């Protein structure tokens, strides 16, 4: 496969050649899996998604031109699924299963269009929101984040000439390949690309995916990016996200229903999916409370994806819970995906090897690590903690508590209520880098 000269392409960026989002499939696979369930079971639920910049020192509205941002958002709204994309979705095998997407769902999705957006500025930040039916607004999360992150990268590189760009990407490639060589030293490693949301750029994510495919072979199990999976003949990977329990919880009528919401989500999920798609994301309202109240049948699921507590601590907590249910952890799967750096992957791998099956979803530190690569001073290439979260459902505030209070989102009064219902056990604040 011919490799793109990224530096030259960046220097000669042209709107028609390089729109940031090129396809509705330039998104994470779990978005499509969740979308099918939302379409099938909750078509009348409205949900608002909002941009949240947790790296407050970075004033995005000062770094990114508003007109350029609007042009990219508007372009994303013009995208429709191509015939070859529909054929691939309908005919490809995902997680070992053919036709994971129902024909009726695909017929609806074929005509999908991203809904309108609201964009304003306040105190150096963009306020970007998406209102409407959940089965439409949910699809804005990934492209919105990809657009803003890449526009920020492009803005930072505008002063660079062709040689400075060559140096930047040469250093970044060398850094990335050095990581690849270290990963090669971990026998039976299973690692995939989860880096779409906060990538440096689409072209750079594609380069990283191709580098891992060549560099570590079968240890590289695939990518969460649906378009890249299709284009590079890799597995599309992903299960579900925090928005499901957040919306379910927002729609509850009592504290008792609220406490049961995380498990109702899983009951609905298994109406659609099974096998290796039965992965629990336990930390939306705190892993400790989730495990404390979890029904026994959840121990039969394939695995867990601990997301906001330190990976070794979170993994040991889940292993202890499995054992309390009479389950052998060696038959189960832990997927680690939160802010993984290379050293964290190595340490976690060595700690759990032989204790449990494990896999790693490598995100920002794979697709947006340009630290110390720039040949001139710039801060716009540093990755930031930018998210797009569901903030209300049917007009009711949505909340995420997280195992890390620094990641909590929602109305303060509602957060206080959720803490009363779910408790504060084992929630420990630590710095959020990405």
């Amino acid at each position: 496969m011919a490799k793109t000269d990224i530096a030259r392409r960046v220097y000669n960026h042209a709107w028609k050649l390089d729109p940031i989002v090129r396809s509705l499939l330039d998104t994470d696979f779990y978005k499509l899996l969740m979308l099918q369930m939302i379409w099938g079971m909750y078509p009348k639920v409205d949900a608002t998604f909002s941009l949240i910049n947790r790296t407050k020192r970075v004033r995005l509205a000062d770094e990114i031109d508003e007109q350029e941002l609007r042009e990219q958002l508007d372009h994303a709204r013009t995208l429709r699924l191509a015939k070859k994309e529909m054929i691939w979705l309908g005919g490809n095998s995902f997680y070992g299963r053919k036709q994971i997407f129902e024909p009726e769902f695909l017929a609806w999705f074929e005509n999908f269009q991203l809904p309108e957006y609201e964009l304003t500025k306040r105190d150096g930040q963009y306020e970007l929101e998406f209102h409407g039916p959940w089965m439409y607004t949910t699809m804005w999360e990934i492209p919105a984040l990809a657009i803003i992150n890449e526009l920020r990268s492009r803005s930072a590189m505008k002063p660079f000439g062709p040689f400075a760009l060559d140096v930047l990407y040469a250093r970044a490639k060398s850094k990335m390949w050095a990581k690849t060589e270290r990963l090669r030293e971990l026998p039976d490693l299973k690692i995939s690309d989860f880096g779409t949301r906060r990538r440096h750029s689409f072209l750079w994510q594609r380069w990283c995916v191709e580098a891992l495919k060549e560099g570590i072979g079968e240890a590289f199990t695939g990518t969460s990016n649906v378009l890249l999976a299709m284009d590079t003949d890799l597995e599309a990977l992903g299960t579900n996200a925090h928005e499901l329990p957040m919306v379910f919880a927002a729609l509850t009528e009592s504290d008792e229903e609220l406490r049961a919401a995380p498990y109702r989500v899983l009951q609905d999920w298994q109406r659609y999916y099974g096998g290796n798609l039965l992965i629990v994301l336990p930390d939306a309202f705190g892993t400790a409370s989730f495990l404390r109240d979890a029904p026994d049948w959840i121990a039969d699921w394939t695995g867990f994806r601990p997301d906001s507590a330190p990976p070794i601590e979170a993994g040991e907590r889940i292993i202890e819970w499995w054992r309390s249910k009479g389950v052998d952890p060696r038959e189960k799967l832990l997927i680690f995906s939160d802010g993984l750096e290379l050293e964290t992957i190595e340490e976690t791998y060595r700690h759990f090897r032989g204790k449990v099956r494990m896999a790693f979803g490598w995100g920002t530190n794979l697709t947006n690590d340009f630290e110390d690569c720039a040949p001139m001073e710039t801060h716009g290439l540093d990755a930031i903690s930018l998210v797009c979260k569901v903030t209300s459902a049917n007009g009711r505030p949505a909340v995420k508590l997280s195992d890390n209070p620094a990641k909590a989102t929602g109305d303060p009064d509602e957060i206080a209520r959720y803490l009363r219902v779910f408790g504060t056990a084992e929630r420990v604040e630590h710095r959020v880098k990405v």
Side-chain angles (χ1 to χ4, degrees), residues 112-364:
F112 183 89
Q113 177 184 12
L114 289 168
E116 295 181 355
Y117 60 89
E118 291 184 9
L119 178 66
T120 57
K121 292 180 181 179
R122 180 179 296 184
D123 299 328
Q125 300 292 347
Y126 282 115
E127 294 187 348
L128 179 59
E129 293 195 327
F130 311 98
H131 307 278
W134 186 15
M135 60 184 182
Y136 287 93
T137 56
T138 183
M139 290 297 288
W140 258 123
E141 177 189 358
I142 307 303
L145 292 172
I147 285 169
I148 291 173
N149 278 294
E150 183 161 349
L151 281 177
R152 184 167 178 262
S153 297
R154 290 186 182 188
S155 176
M157 294 186 295
K158 280 181 180 177
F160 290 26
F163 288 95
L165 286 170
D166 267 339
V167 171
L168 172 73
Y169 283 107
R171 289 175 177 173
K173 288 177 178 180
S174 178
K175 188 177 186 180
M176 169 58 201
W177 193 254
K179 295 179 185 181
T180 302
E181 291 176 327
R182 283 172 62 176
L183 292 176
R184 222 183 271 150
E185 300 301 313
L186 306 179
D188 303 317
L189 175 71
K190 300 298 180 186
I191 192 166
S192 57
D193 159 45
F194 275 21
T196 300
R197 294 186 304 159
R198 300 193 191 103
R199 67 194 182 196
H200 168 80
S201 71
F202 173 81
L203 293 175
W204 180 247
Q205 183 183 15
R206 188 173 70 184
W207 189 91
C208 292
V209 164
E210 292 174 343
L212 282 176
K213 186 177 181 181
E214 177 179 321
I216 61 175
E218 291 184 0
F220 184 51
T221 56
T223 173
S224 67
N225 187 291
V226 187
L227 180 62
L228 288 176
M230 182 182 74
D231 287 347
T232 59
D233 195 27
L234 286 166
E235 292 288 333
L237 300 174
T239 53
N240 51 67
H242 294 109
E243 73 179 85
L244 293 181
M246 290 172 69
V247 169
F248 276 54
L251 297 177
T252 59
E253 299 289 348
S254 66
D255 288 355
E256 183 178 356
E257 288 184 7
L258 175 59
R259 193 175 291 110
Y263 315 114
R264 280 195 53 231
V265 170
L266 302 183
Q267 288 174 321
D268 285 355
W269 182 261
Q270 64 185 0
R271 294 183 188 182
Y272 279 85
Y273 308 113
N276 284 336
L277 285 171
L278 294 182
I279 302 295
V280 180
L281 181 62
D283 72 311
F285 311 121
T287 299
S289 65
F290 182 94
L291 296 177
R292 180 192 66 216
D293 298 330
D296 289 345
W297 55 264
I298 289 177
D300 295 330
W301 275 41
T302 303
F304 277 67
R305 179 166 73 91
D307 188 64
S308 54
I312 291 177
E313 174 187 310
E316 286 292 346
R317 190 185 308 165
I318 293 164
I319 284 175
E320 182 182 351
W321 180 82
W322 274 323
R323 286 176 176 153
S324 75
K325 299 296 181 181
V327 172
D328 184 352
R330 291 173 297 180
E331 298 175 356
K332 295 298 181 179
L333 175 66
L334 288 176
I335 301 175
F336 300 100
S337 62
D338 180 43
L340 295 179
E341 297 185 351
L342 180 63
E343 293 75 15
T344 311
I345 294 170
E346 292 172 326
E347 181 184 10
T348 304
Y349 167 89
R350 293 188 175 111
H351 179 88
F352 286 110
R353 191 181 184 202
K355 296 181 180 180
V356 66
R357 295 162 54 215
M358 60 181 149
F360 296 88
W362 201 9
T364 310

